[in-house]
Amino acid sequence: MSEIGAALSIPVIRYALFGMLIAGASLSLLGVVIVSLQLTAIRFTLMHVGLLGAAAGLSLGFSPSAGAFTLVLLASVVMGVSGRHLSISASSVTGLFMTGSLAGAFLLLSRGGVPAMEVFGVFAGNILMMTRFDLIAVGLLGIVVVTVFVLGYREIQLVLLDRELARSLGVPVDLISAGLFVLLGAGIAAALRLVGALLVDAVILLPGIAALRFARGLASALLLSALFGVLACGLGFLAALLLDLPIGASAAAVSTIILALSTGVSALQGRRTG
């Protein structure tokens, strides 16, 4: 325990821990939306967009993480607006952005003299590069995510349950869907900065899947997702400190274990009730 206390006395370690816990408690709520709306492909799409953003950022003289964050956020806005105003299906939008982003990234890599290793570094992430400004930004994003779910709980619940029923009740389904796209983009962009593209699922998707194994409604799904997210990030961080492991990979491993246990427990419950 003295080793943990000594590590937490270092500001960058504290920023990383607080950032992970905030992300686990708030960004994990977005996983419930991804699974409920069957948007699991969106994370792959935005990861490819992040790759293009990293390449574009370097070619313009910015950091790859800044380029990835900016382009992912912009792409989520365009995807949400495209689906709402142009009547394009979510699968068509995500396919368009995924293929186009990958093609653009490789064109920049081949013609722009952009160092490939720095671009692909966005897939790894580095939580220990987190600054106080980054922590504040993640905290503000977490507050926004939680506030949206609290204030728009009824409307979001109806959209996730039955879009046509929600529309018939006067709920602005298209506007809410576009807003959720933007939130997803912001959350994935923040997760890229925290743990990298390859481990986004550990913070956002897996806690939501595990929560939906037990949830009886949206409220319980959100609470359980936040709980599992905090456990994955917190325990993963502590394990990384104690065992000298990469923080992002450690959090992903814990998140995977939580999902595996939840799957096993829900299967046993199903047999008992069956």
Side-chain angles (χ1 to χ4, degrees):
M1 295 301 292
S2 60
E3 295 179 1
I4 296 176
L8 292 178
S9 66
I10 303 172
V12 68
I13 300 294
R14 291 200 304 273
Y15 295 158
L17 175 58
F18 293 152
M20 290 283 284
L21 291 177
I22 292 170
S26 59
L27 301 187
S28 60
L29 304 182
L30 300 173
V32 176
V33 174
I34 291 176
V35 177
S36 299
L37 293 181
Q38 299 180 346
L39 294 175
T40 51
I42 190 176
R43 69 196 196 283
F44 290 118
T45 299
L46 293 179
M47 288 176 195
H48 286 79
V49 171
L51 185 66
L52 174 59
L58 279 175
S59 66
L60 295 174
F62 298 103
S63 71
S65 60
F69 185 96
T70 302
L71 199 59
V72 166
L73 191 56
L74 290 175
S76 65
V77 174
V78 174
M79 290 167 68
V81 172
S82 298
R84 180 188 175 196
H85 292 293
L86 301 181
S87 299
I88 303 175
S89 67
S91 59
S92 298
V93 173
T94 54
L96 173 67
F97 273 84
M98 183 182 295
T99 305
S101 297
L102 192 59
F106 278 102
L107 287 174
L108 283 176
L109 287 174
S110 63
R111 295 295 184 182
V114 178
M117 291 305 296
E118 290 191 46
V119 172
F120 283 96
V122 73
F123 282 93
N126 190 349
I127 185 66
L128 294 180
M129 294 296 290
M130 195 171 194
T131 64
R132 186 174 182 179
F133 175 81
D134 294 327
L135 179 60
I136 294 173
V138 171
L140 291 176
L141 176 59
I143 291 173
V144 170
V145 170
V146 173
T147 301
V148 167
F149 277 100
V150 170
L151 296 182
Y153 176 81
R154 175 182 174 275
E155 290 77 10
I156 293 173
Q157 184 180 38
L158 285 171
V159 171
L160 297 183
L161 178 65
D162 190 325
R163 295 171 67 90
E164 294 306 317
L165 174 62
R167 204 184 302 275
S168 67
L169 294 174
V171 176
V173 173
D174 294 332
L175 181 61
I176 290 175
S177 298
L180 290 176
F181 256 97
V182 174
L183 270 185
L184 288 174
I188 291 174
L192 283 174
R193 182 71 176 90
L194 288 172
V195 293
L198 294 178
L199 299 175
V200 165
D201 287 354
V203 176
I204 296 180
L205 184 64
L206 298 192
I209 297 176
L212 288 170
R213 299 282 184 183
F214 305 105
R216 298 183 179 275
L218 180 59
S220 59
L222 295 175
L223 290 174
L224 285 173
S225 185
L227 174 62
F228 292 151
V230 169
L231 286 175
C233 291
L235 294 179
F237 197 95
L238 292 178
L241 291 182
L242 293 173
L243 303 176
D244 193 23
L245 299 172
I247 295 174
S250 181
V254 175
S255 189
T256 302
I257 292 171
I258 290 173
L259 177 57
L261 290 174
S262 67
T263 301
V265 171
S266 63
L268 288 175
Q269 289 179 340
R271 290 181 181 179
R272 290 176 181 176
T273 58

